[in-house]
Amino acid sequence: MPPLLLRNRELLLKPSLYRQSTFRFASSHPNFSSSSSKKKNTKMGDRVPDSGRPGRSSSARGRGSDTLDKLSPYRDGCSSASPTVGHRNKSSASPNVGHRNKLSPYRDGCSSASPNVGHRNSSPQTDGPPQRNSSPERLTSSHGANAQETCLEPRPFDICRTVSDGVVRLQKSLLEINREKKREQSVDVHVEHLRPGMILLKRFISYHDQVKIVQICQELGIGEGGFYRPGYRDGAKLNLQMMCLGKNWDPESRLYEDRRLFDGAIPPKIPDEFKKLVEKGLCDSHDFLKRQKKGSYIEELPWMSPDICIVNFYSNSGKLGLHQDRDESIESRQKGLPVVSFSVGDSAWFSYGDGRDVDKAEKVLLESGDVLIFGGESRLIFHGVDSIEPKTAPSNLVEETKLKPGRLNLTFRQY
Ligand SMILES: O=C(O)CCC(=O)C(=O)O
Ligand SMILES: [Fe+2]
């Protein structure tokens, strides 16, 4: 391990004096309050294998003020005249076509060229990688000696419900509607300083921006390079659906690459709107740290410009084992360039600590609209998602976007 990393790890072992230090952005009147969303050392349940996954101004302060209003064409190869989803999937000119059928061990579902007979029967909706077709299609494939197989081509994973899901929703009470309206309009961003280099911006992403995030991720997720259920080298599957933006992270090789190995898809670009929100989160965190006057804010939390975003969708049984995010470049890790994480949908219990010991990990509840940042000497903390709290997503968000039960998480990094 390089000496600097060792030093970081040693520093991580210092007791945190920072936990009670919170700060509220209420328009321009900051005040202090204590953390309420955190509990300690609850034992974690069964985990998926550790992934080893990597393991400016104060006027911008306050709630993310609907930064995502203007949707831009966010995918490579989209002409300015045709930013629509419909065009994105017309892949006749796509360089990916030739690669699409090279299946990886972690690809479930069928393809006409599929050599993976063993995986064929997994649920296409939950396990399959995205395909170009939006509806399932019967395919006949030949696997080995005279084996003739017919199966359904997996549909791309859609984080939102379709009408045919047939979910009947009950009428909301007036009280519920008013509470939600209040929540939507709230500008009560609240900052928690969890430990050196680790900041939680509660309720940072406005309701409007949360809706946009879901909509954009839904569109990207059903297109080329969209959601699939990844697995590790040993064949174990992650308990989530994943899509990468900017660069592809491969859990098997633990490398970042320009194309996805199993289907050759080029990851969509990170939408500029997402980058703006990341920038704003870092600015507001710096403003907070400046007010603390505990040392150099830029040393505690270095600046970063994301070129990678890993989008995870956890169903209610989803989880992610304790791991470090350390597959980014050595420079990025040594400089402590932060990971910035957005949470949307159902809440999650997030664990973090200095080692792999789940019992010693701290726990914090990440709710819809929260932004968690860990950089500097916290860059290499062990962290993971213990559990998802069902039915905790804002019901107006679920209603408006048709987001499926579960949690959307976006982690931004600089390679
Ligand atoms: O879902 C989360 O909050 C954490 C995700 C994460 O750690 C990762 O994608 O590396
Ligand atoms: Fe991570």
Side-chain angles (χ1 to χ4, degrees):
M1 187 177 288
L4 186 59
L5 292 186
L6 250 187
R7 211 165 59 236
N8 280 342
R9 295 293 304 285
E10 283 160 8
L11 283 168
L12 287 179
L13 296 175
K14 283 185 187 166
S16 170
L17 300 170
Y18 295 74
R19 272 172 209 130
Q20 297 307 317
S21 175
T22 63
F23 174 81
R24 210 177 270 272
F25 286 123
S27 302
S28 56
H29 299 292
N31 55 57
F32 293 83
S33 73
S34 68
S35 160
S36 59
S37 56
K38 203 156 164 257
K39 72 179 184 190
K40 222 190 148 236
N41 294 351
T42 307
K43 196 163 172 51
M44 289 189 179
D46 288 336
R47 298 199 166 282
V48 293
D50 289 346
S51 72
R53 181 187 288 174
R56 280 100 203 272
S57 89
S58 55
S59 63
R61 153 186 325 145
R63 186 197 266 293
S65 50
D66 298 349
T67 313
L68 306 190
D69 260 342
K70 290 170 232 103
L71 290 186
S72 68
Y74 31 71
R75 183 182 287 271
D76 281 327
C78 263
S79 83
S80 54
S82 57
T84 58
V85 180
H87 285 211
R88 217 188 314 127
N89 292 333
K90 286 178 187 159
S91 55
S92 55
S94 162
N96 301 332
V97 175
H99 294 264
R100 207 172 300 132
N101 289 327
K102 287 181 189 154
L103 299 186
S104 84
Y106 48 85
R107 176 177 166 159
D108 284 346
C110 268
S111 152
S112 53
S114 168
N116 289 357
V117 181
H119 291 255
R120 207 181 326 121
N121 293 325
S122 299
S123 154
Q125 182 62 22
T126 54
D127 284 351
Q131 301 285 309
R132 302 297 83 72
N133 303 342
S134 57
S135 59
E137 194 180 290
R138 288 226 162 252
L139 292 174
T140 303
S141 14
S142 174
H143 301 289
N146 302 323
Q148 196 74 8
E149 301 287 343
T150 303
C151 64
L152 286 175
E153 180 168 338
R155 275 191 293 170
F157 180 78
D158 192 336
I159 59 171
C160 297
R161 287 194 189 102
T162 55
V163 181
S164 61
D165 289 340
V167 177
V168 181
R169 294 191 67 79
L170 298 172
Q171 202 81 32
K172 274 189 282 182
S173 72
L174 204 60
L175 188 71
E176 216 183 330
I177 293 168
N178 285 339
R179 206 179 288 143
E180 280 168 4
K181 283 234 163 76
K182 243 187 183 165
R183 210 188 300 157
E184 267 177 45
Q185 289 155 6
S186 160
V187 285
D188 192 20
V189 178
H190 165 89
V191 184
E192 296 185 16
H193 199 180
L194 299 178
R195 57 188 278 159
M198 191 168 185
I199 299 265
L200 174 57
L201 303 168
K202 293 293 294 176
R203 297 179 286 279
F204 181 79
I205 307 172
S206 70
Y207 171 76
H208 183 85
D209 284 351
Q210 289 177 49
V211 170
K212 287 290 170 207
I213 288 172
V214 172
Q215 289 170 342
I216 291 174
C217 288
Q218 184 202 13
E219 283 184 12
L220 295 178
I222 58 175
E224 187 180 316
F227 284 110
Y228 74 107
R229 190 172 170 194
Y232 299 119
R233 217 168 289 178
D234 63 1
K237 291 257 182 187
L238 276 84
N239 225 326
L240 47 78
Q241 296 277 338
M242 187 180 88
M243 153 174 80
C244 296
L245 311 178
K247 283 182 188 298
N248 183 61
W249 177 70
D250 183 274
E252 261 188 277
S253 65
R254 295 186 33 190
L255 295 173
Y256 282 106
E257 274 155 335
D258 292 333
R259 274 178 194 271
R260 227 158 53 174
L261 258 184
F262 70 86
D263 63 356
I266 297 175
K269 284 207 298 190
I270 304 176
D272 287 343
E273 297 86 344
F274 289 5
K275 288 186 178 175
K276 274 181 203 148
L277 260 182
V278 170
E279 191 174 307
K280 189 167 165 356
L282 285 169
C283 281
D284 285 4
S285 301
H286 282 162
D287 286 347
F288 168 82
L289 291 172
K290 270 185 231 166
R291 284 167 207 263
Q292 302 277 295
K293 295 194 176 75
K294 277 189 177 155
S296 162
Y297 69 89
I298 203 77
E299 250 169 53
E300 174 162 357
L301 196 64
W303 188 258
M304 76 101 173
S305 305
D307 51 9
I308 301 159
C309 173
I310 297 180
V311 186
N312 294 326
F313 183 80
Y314 301 80
S315 68
N316 281 334
S317 59
K319 52 183 75 181
L320 183 61
L322 280 183
H323 65 280
Q324 291 169 298
D325 289 356
R326 57 187 176 88
D327 292 338
E328 294 73 29
S329 69
I330 292 175
E331 302 80 58
S332 177
R333 285 181 279 135
Q334 283 187 343
K335 286 180 183 159
L337 303 192
V339 173
V340 177
S341 156
F342 295 178
S343 293
V344 177
D346 285 328
S347 308
W349 283 107
F350 180 88
S351 296
Y352 61 95
D354 294 316
R356 283 181 189 276
D357 189 344
V358 167
D359 293 328
K360 289 191 180 140
E362 304 271 356
K363 284 179 65 117
V364 66
L365 187 67
L366 299 181
E367 297 168 293
S368 200
D370 290 354
V371 172
L372 178 70
I373 305 181
F374 51 98
E377 63 183 79
S378 288
R379 176 60 177 78
L380 289 176
I381 50 158
F382 284 87
H383 61 280
V385 174
D386 185 3
S387 61
I388 305 296
E389 295 281 290
K391 297 193 169 98
T392 47
S395 50
N396 45 347
L397 177 79
V398 172
E399 203 136 292
E400 190 169 345
T401 61
K402 308 263 181 303
L403 182 66
K404 282 179 178 163
R407 168 174 180 260
L408 193 57
N409 171 258
L410 292 80
T411 48
F412 297 87
R413 309 128 194 260
Q414 182 176 330
Y415 184 75

